[in-house]
């Protein structure tokens, strides 16, 4: 009986020891998992704070050192009223009368420094300009692209699509770059006086037509002796009035 009792007691002790060992293993795993979960957000938060603290000054440096492109055309410490239009922003005066002089309230753009007549720095000022849109300006107030593909000597005279830009010292309303239909007005370097002189002196040999680049007509005049003089007289009249021009379609100088 005593032997059986010791066996049962030994089995109970072994079972209790096994239960305690398994409980310690489970508690250790739970603690490691809890520690890992708690450490991950802290590390992520630390990374976020580190990246933010290092990136913000970098962007601030870029913003502070960036130079606006319009500053290259803006003189420093000059009169505000004489600044180019790209250096200021003006409020539209809707009460102005077309063709009349009107006053416009303007403000310099950021990083632009200018002064008034008393050499005092200012940001807000007024300018006087004619109340009209940019495309209504005189032809001397803007510069347009030129075309060498259209015929200047034609009936009717040809036009081409040009892109015009207002000069820097001119103020106007609306877009400063605008499209416009212009007459073909390019020149290839031919002189009207030279063509007329050749037509009068050597027109019977086709020298005037050769000079203008019209080789077929020049050869015709050469081998027909100026059409027995009739063609020569007709060319003198046609070149004199400007009806016959260079073969490339350009204007005389």
């Amino acid at each position: 009986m005593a032997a059986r009792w010791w066996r049962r007691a030994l089995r109970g002790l072994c079972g209790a020891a096994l239960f305690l060992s398994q409980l310690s293993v489970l508690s250790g795993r739970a603690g490691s998992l809890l520690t890992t979960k708690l450490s991950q957000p802290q590390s992520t938060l630390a990374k976020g704070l580190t990246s933010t603290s290092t990136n913000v000054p970098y962007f601030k440096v870029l913003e502070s050192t960036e130079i606006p492109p319009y500053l290259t055309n803006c003189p420093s410490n000059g009169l505000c009223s004489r600044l180019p239009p790209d250096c200021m922003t003006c409020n539209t005066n809707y009460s102005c009368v077309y063709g009349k002089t009107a006053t416009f309230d303007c403000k310099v753009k950021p990083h632009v420094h200018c002064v008034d007549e008393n050499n005092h720095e200012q940001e807000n000022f007024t300018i006087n300009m004619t109340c009209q849109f940019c495309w209504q300006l005189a032809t001397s107030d803007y510069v347009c692209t030129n075309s060498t593909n259209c015929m200047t000597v034609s009936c009717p005279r040809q036009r081409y699509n040009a892109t015009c830009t207002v000069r820097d010292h001119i103020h106007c309303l609306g877009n400063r770059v605008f499209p416009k239909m212009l007459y073909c007005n390019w020149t290839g370097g031919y002189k009207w006086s030279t063509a007329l002189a050749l037509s009068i002196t050597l027109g019977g040999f086709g020298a005037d037509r050769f000079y203008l680049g019209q080789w077929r007509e020049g050869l015709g005049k050469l081998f027909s002796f100026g059409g027995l003089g009739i063609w020569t007289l007709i060319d003198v009249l046609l070149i004199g009035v400007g009806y016959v021009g260079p073969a490339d379609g350009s204007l005389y100088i």
Side-chain angles (χ1 to χ4, degrees):
M1 294 295 293
R4 291 181 180 179
W5 183 84
W6 281 110
R7 288 178 183 176
R8 290 179 181 178
L10 184 60
R11 289 178 182 177
L13 291 175
C14 292
L18 181 60
F19 175 75
L20 291 176
S21 63
Q22 290 179 353
L23 182 61
S24 63
V25 171
L26 291 176
S27 62
R29 289 181 181 181
S32 62
L33 289 175
L34 182 59
T35 304
T36 304
K37 289 181 180 180
L38 291 176
S39 61
Q40 284 180 352
Q42 292 178 356
S43 60
T44 305
L45 181 59
K47 290 182 180 179
L49 293 175
T50 304
S51 60
T52 304
S53 60
T54 54
N55 288 337
V56 169
Y58 177 73
F59 287 117
K60 287 184 177 179
V61 170
L62 287 180
E63 291 177 357
S64 61
T65 58
E66 185 179 358
I67 301 176
Y70 57 80
L71 282 182
T72 57
N73 299 325
C74 301
S76 180
N77 296 327
L79 288 177
C80 295
S81 58
R82 295 185 180 180
L83 285 175
D86 293 338
C87 305
M88 65 180 76
T89 56
C90 299
N91 296 327
T92 304
N93 188 351
Y94 293 101
S95 62
C96 67
V97 180
Y98 171 74
K100 302 295 183 179
T101 303
T103 302
F104 293 81
D105 296 326
C106 301
K107 181 180 180 180
V108 294
K109 291 184 177 180
H111 307 289
V112 177
H113 302 281
C114 63
V115 297
D116 57 7
E117 289 77 5
N118 298 324
N119 203 24
H120 295 155
E121 187 173 355
Q122 61 178 1
E123 294 183 357
N124 300 315
F125 57 95
T126 59
I127 61 172
N128 296 323
M129 74 170 94
T130 304
C131 182
Q132 60 182 347
F133 288 99
C134 295
W135 58 271
Q136 297 173 322
L137 293 171
T139 55
S140 59
D141 294 335
Y142 53 83
V143 180
C144 300
T145 57
N146 206 347
S147 175
T148 58
N149 297 325
C150 57
M151 298 291 291
T152 59
V153 183
S154 62
C155 187
R157 192 175 175 185
Q158 292 185 4
R159 294 173 178 261
Y160 70 98
N161 292 319
T163 301
C164 302
T165 304
V166 181
R167 299 184 184 274
D168 289 339
H169 63 282
I170 302 297
H171 296 275
C172 56
L173 302 177
N175 296 327
R176 300 184 61 82
V177 179
F178 55 90
K180 198 166 188 179
M181 290 289 295
L182 299 177
Y183 284 109
C184 300
N185 59 351
W186 66 284
T187 178
Y190 296 95
K191 293 184 178 181
W192 172 82
S193 58
T194 303
L196 183 60
L198 290 175
S199 181
I200 295 173
T201 57
L202 300 174
F205 302 99
D208 51 352
R209 295 283 183 164
F210 286 128
Y211 172 73
L212 296 175
Q214 302 174 5
W215 295 96
R216 289 179 296 181
E217 291 82 355
L219 292 174
K221 292 182 69 174
L222 177 63
F223 290 111
S224 65
F225 299 100
L228 300 178
I230 299 176
W231 194 350
T232 302
L233 294 176
I234 294 175
D235 272 356
V236 171
L237 295 175
L238 295 178
I239 293 176
V241 299
Y243 184 81
V244 174
D248 58 3
S250 64
L251 291 175
Y252 287 115
I253 297 177

